[in-house]
Amino acid sequence: MLMWLKIIVLILFLAIIASLSSALFTMIKNNGQSNKTVNALTLRVALSIITFVLLIVGYAMGWIQPHGLVPM
């Protein structure tokens, strides 16, 4: 797996966690009175789709190879 692909996936995962945390914070703070929670969750879904597509493209291009949990 290329190093830059690892870094991009890590950044996307951190952004997903940050977006999810933001949605939780605004949901608790505003009691669902604003659209900030919906916007944060929409961003999280979009980032998740981007991550999934990036992994699929990386596999199709041969940049990453699947492996088992137990080394042979």
Side-chain angles (χ1 to χ4, degrees), residues 4-20 43-55:
W4 62 269
L5 189 58
K6 287 182 184 180
I7 293 170
I8 291 172
V9 169
L10 180 64
I11 290 171
L12 285 170
F13 279 143
L14 292 174
I16 290 168
I17 292 171
S19 177
L20 191 59
L43 178 63
R44 184 192 65 84
V45 170
L47 290 172
S48 297
I49 291 171
I50 290 170
T51 304
F52 184 73
V53 168
L54 181 64
L55 290 174

